[in-house]
């Protein structure tokens, strides 16, 4: 924030103008004006501030003439390797039995290809295993023991099924059976290469202390990730149950296909889901999106969802606008 030109942000303000509408930003945090939600490819966008080093790795790969898939995989591996990240990779929070079960998905715009793994234990890089499912099998998704057997067969790097720190926290949880309120996150990373093609991937340890075998939205094509080379891509983070029931990222991409700016597509998806869901805005879901024209955006049900944007000209964390209950529109049908 400190070295950012003042005009880039509406700081301390309660409102921001998004897509021509006045959007409340209750946290009063910086929101990038709509006109600046654009960059010249290669462009990489990922969820949360912890995505920024992943973006930068992906850019490095692209600038060294690596492929879009290489960039997605290398970028996400950075977050998966972060021993301090409790929601991605083997340092993540385990399931109710004390075992970390990882979900990941990768998609290539060219060829409209996808690969994913779910409930994978004991392997450091689920994103790489997901890519191998896409490239080395006729399938899209492998889960649990089958995914682990496949990963072992292809020699992927193994690791402990839970870190010592998370094991200690799990034991405490087991005694108290008390859930932390927010104990999950995902790295979803979507990008456009200099030649215009779109790729994406996501990876997570999912909902902390989940039931063994639970899959979230992340390995589900159109749930936690969707890439359409004609239109753009979207990624999700938040409570997967509230994303996968609505094909959240597919919806974001379809709104972009209808002409919405990525930011408006994320906002409209949030409104649509919040209108339909009995929980309204209490859903804890967030989206990021890019389109083929180099535009990007994000939105969440809460205030203050942050995402990372990287291109040759800059690499920064951006705050998405909040959506208020007043902005939800009437129940039943399109608000417009
Ligand atoms: N969507 C992930 C899941 O439900 C978690 C998150 O992104 O917060 O597994």
């Amino acid at each position: 924030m400190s070295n950012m030109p003042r005009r880039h942000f509406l700081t301390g303000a309660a409102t921001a103008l998004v897509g021509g509408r006045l959007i409340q930003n209750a946290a009063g945090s910086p929101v990038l004006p709509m006109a600046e939600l654009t960059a010249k490819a290669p462009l990489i966008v990922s969820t949360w501030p912890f995505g920024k080093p992943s973006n930068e790795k992906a850019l490095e790969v692209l600038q060294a003439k690596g492929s879009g898939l290489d960039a997605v995989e290398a970028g996400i591996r950075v977050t998966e390797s972060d021993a301090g990240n409790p929601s991605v990779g083997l340092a993540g929070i385990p399931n109710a039995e004390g075992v970390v079960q990882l979900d990941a998905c990768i998609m290539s715009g060219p060829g409209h290809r996808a690969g994913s793994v779910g409930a994978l234990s004991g392997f450091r890089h689920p994103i790489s295993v997901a890519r191998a499912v896409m490239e080395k099998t006729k399938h899209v998704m492998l889960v649990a023991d089958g995914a682990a057997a496949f990963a072992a067969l292809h020699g992927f790097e193994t690791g402990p099924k839970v870190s010592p720190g998370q094991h200690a926290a799990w034991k405490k949880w087991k005694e108290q059976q008390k859930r932390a309120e927010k104990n999950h996150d995902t790295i979803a990373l979507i990008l456009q290469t200099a030649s215009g093609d779109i790729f994406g991937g996501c990876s997570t340890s999912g909902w902390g202390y989940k039931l063994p075998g639970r899959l979230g939205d992340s390995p589900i094509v159109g749930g936690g990730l969707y890439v359409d080379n004609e239109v753009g891509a979207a990624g999700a983070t938040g409570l997967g149950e509230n994303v996968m029931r609505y094909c959240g990222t597919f919806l974001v991409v379809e709104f972009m296909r209808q002409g919405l700016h990525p930011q408006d597509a994320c906002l409209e998806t949030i409104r649509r889901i919040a209108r339909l869901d009995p929980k309204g805005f209490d859903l804890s879901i967030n989206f990021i999106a890019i389109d083929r024209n180099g535009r990007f955006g994000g939105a969440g049900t809460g205030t203050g969802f942050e995402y990372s944007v990287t291109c040759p000209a800059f690499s920064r964390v951006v705050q998405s606008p909040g959506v208020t209950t007043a902005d939800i529109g009437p129940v039943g049908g399109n608000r417009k």
Side-chain angles (χ1 to χ4, degrees):
M1 181 57 211
S2 51
N3 55 359
M4 205 65 73
R6 180 67 179 82
R7 65 183 176 80
H8 280 168
F9 293 106
L10 296 169
T11 34
T15 56
L17 200 59
V18 177
R21 285 186 292 271
L22 208 56
I23 302 293
Q24 194 81 23
N25 179 19
S29 310
V31 174
L32 212 58
M34 195 78 171
E36 295 188 26
L37 297 177
T38 180
K40 204 167 151 8
L43 166 66
I44 303 120
V45 177
S46 65
T47 49
W48 306 114
F50 65 60
K52 194 162 162 275
S54 287
N55 286 5
E56 287 161 5
K57 180 69 189 178
L59 181 64
E60 200 184 298
V61 170
L62 290 173
Q63 288 180 326
K65 303 268 176 280
S67 71
L69 281 173
D70 289 345
V72 167
E73 182 184 356
I76 289 179
R77 283 173 69 110
V78 169
T79 312
E80 288 178 342
S81 302
D82 181 356
N85 190 317
S87 44
V88 179
L90 286 178
I93 302 175
N95 67 15
E97 282 179 352
V99 174
V100 181
Q101 289 191 316
L102 303 171
D103 295 342
C105 182
I106 195 163
M107 282 192 82
S108 164
H112 201 74
R113 294 184 301 149
S116 78
V117 288
L120 174 67
S121 292
F123 289 87
R124 288 197 189 279
H125 295 296
I127 192 68
S128 301
V129 185
R131 181 174 178 182
V133 171
M134 179 175 82
E135 293 181 334
K136 296 187 196 309
T137 79
K138 291 180 177 160
H139 308 307
V140 167
M141 181 188 281
L142 292 178
V143 300
D145 289 352
F150 172 82
L153 189 68
H154 288 274
F156 284 104
E157 193 186 342
T158 56
K161 290 190 175 179
V162 64
S163 70
Q166 291 295 359
H167 179 69
W170 169 77
K171 272 181 82 176
K172 212 164 146 205
W173 168 81
K174 198 76 177 136
E175 279 155 28
Q176 301 170 349
Q177 291 283 325
K178 223 173 128 220
R179 259 151 232 260
E181 212 167 82
K182 174 85 168 81
N183 61 4
H184 50 83
D185 276 330
T186 296
I187 170 99
L189 184 152
I190 51 183
L191 64 83
Q192 184 178 35
T193 64
S195 59
D197 287 324
I198 317 267
F199 299 85
C202 62
S203 183
T204 185
S205 51
W207 188 342
Y209 311 131
K210 62 195 173 188
L211 288 178
R214 175 262 189 189
L215 293 185
D217 57 324
S218 302
I220 312 289
V221 173
L225 178 75
Y226 197 65
V227 175
D228 183 322
N229 218 35
E230 286 182 350
V231 179
T237 180
L239 207 50
E241 281 71 3
N242 295 338
V243 174
M244 62 208 283
R245 285 183 294 124
Y246 295 96
C247 302
T249 53
F250 180 75
L251 195 52
V252 173
V253 170
E254 288 310 297
F255 278 134
M256 290 194 289
R257 189 190 306 279
Q258 290 167 23
L260 263 60
H261 185 289
Q263 174 118 309
D264 283 335
C266 293
L267 286 167
E268 197 56 33
T269 299
I270 296 277
R271 292 188 194 105
R272 165 103 154 246
I273 295 175
R275 273 202 306 277
L276 282 170
D277 201 283
K279 280 193 177 153
F281 272 91
D282 193 21
L283 290 163
S284 185
I285 56 174
N286 311 277
F287 296 101
I288 52 167
I290 59 172
D291 71 11
R292 282 195 67 85
N293 303 317
R295 301 184 302 177
F296 60 88
T301 46
T303 49
F305 167 56
E306 290 178 307
Y307 60 98
S308 300
V309 185
T310 301
C311 63
F314 63 83
S315 186
R316 62 166 66 137
V317 174
V318 173
Q319 176 121 10
S320 77
V323 188
T324 63
T325 315
D327 193 44
I328 193 171
V331 171
N334 203 326
R335 65 191 289 278
K336 284 176 183 163

